[in-house]
Amino acid sequence: MYNNIIIVYENGILKRYPKNPILTPNKSNWWESQAVFNCATLYDGNKVHMLYRAIGEYENYISRIGYASSRDGYSFKRRNKIAFDPILDYEQFGIEDPRLSKIEDKTYVTYVVLSQHVKAGPAVSTALAAVNKDYSHFERLGIITSKEMDNKDVVLFPEKLPSKLNKGGKSFFSLHRPSSWVGKAYGVDSPSIWLGESSQLTTVEEHTLLMKPEFEWEQLKIGAGPPPLKTKYGWLVIYHGVSLDRIYSAGAAILDLNNPAKIVCRCNKPILTPTTEYEKSGDVDNVVFPTGLCNIDGELFLYYGGADKVCCLATAELDDLIQYIFQNNEI
Ligand code: BMA
């Protein structure tokens, strides 16, 4: 029904940084000369640390990861050297879309790997690495999704939460998007966001369907954006939703603080949708792809990829965004 129509969605509550994009390709470094996008961020109370996906050539389209940091959240200083390079077998076709979480005082990055050993069948998995304090060393902890299927958009909750598996205990939780878990057996018609529970960060033992596409602007598929952010209202989950005509927008929901399987509130409108030139036109057109979220003194900084070409920023007061989600709640 919507196939041939370009739908223009109303824009949300976030304000774009007027000096967007905040990072553009750097022609003097071969590895980031063509595109820099989909950046992970982590605020340590002093600095915003950023890992971003970088493309240096279109022949093989292999992604690498660069590092940048900022004192104010707006202007970023980049390191010249590649921060994280695909060197292992399972990374050999690239490492993409990092997401940063701090858990029990350690920094972790989940990242998409395109690997040879899944190339004959599914091609996309997610791996985990622990990151040292100055983001110069990545201790690889292996692939954390099942090798039998494509699974990306994996993000980790920053703390352990009450377990469903082990009464009275606590577990690690994650969000993930198994592409093939679609159909009657799974209760969904298109790729959806699942909640994972586990006793270790490197495996998932229990899966619960959390959110499936509900609205026109996310009808094709949805996937988690940045790791959930703890607020007094619940876990703030920002995700991407893709329409049938392949417009990528950002959506938002709030999960119960002690039971992340419970959706408190879900916004029926996108909170940000491609509108500007740098979101509408790039290596893949019409893409807003959120991957980083920081709360800096009550102001939310949402970092996102624009059209698979540049890194961008949009901000909102935390309370305003929460109010907007409640006002447009569909649950
Ligand atoms: C997704 C991922 C993202 C990308 C988006 C839009 O499937 O590959 O890295 O930004 O598509 O092309």
Side-chain angles (χ1 to χ4, degrees), residues 181-244:
W181 285 12
V182 170
K184 257 206 177 125
Y186 300 99
V188 295
D189 296 330
S190 8
S192 300
I193 300 176
W194 293 71
L195 180 73
E197 174 175 349
S198 51
S199 52
Q200 292 174 354
L201 281 176
T202 47
T203 52
V204 176
E205 285 136 29
E206 173 83 3
H207 300 276
T208 318
L209 175 64
L210 182 68
M211 282 165 49
K212 55 185 179 183
E214 301 282 358
F215 316 114
E216 206 177 282
W217 55 272
E218 56 174 27
Q219 210 172 349
L220 190 67
K221 55 183 172 177
I222 56 174
L229 181 84
K230 194 174 190 178
T231 75
K232 64 180 178 200
Y233 312 97
W235 293 102
L236 172 61
V237 171
I238 293 185
Y239 63 97
H240 65 263
V242 190
S243 64
L244 291 182

Side-chain angles (χ1 to χ4, degrees), residues 44-59:
D44 67 5
N46 181 34
K47 259 185 183 183
V48 176
H49 301 275
M50 174 188 279
L51 293 175
Y52 58 92
R53 177 174 168 192
I55 301 283
E57 43 74 33
Y58 289 115
E59 211 163 278

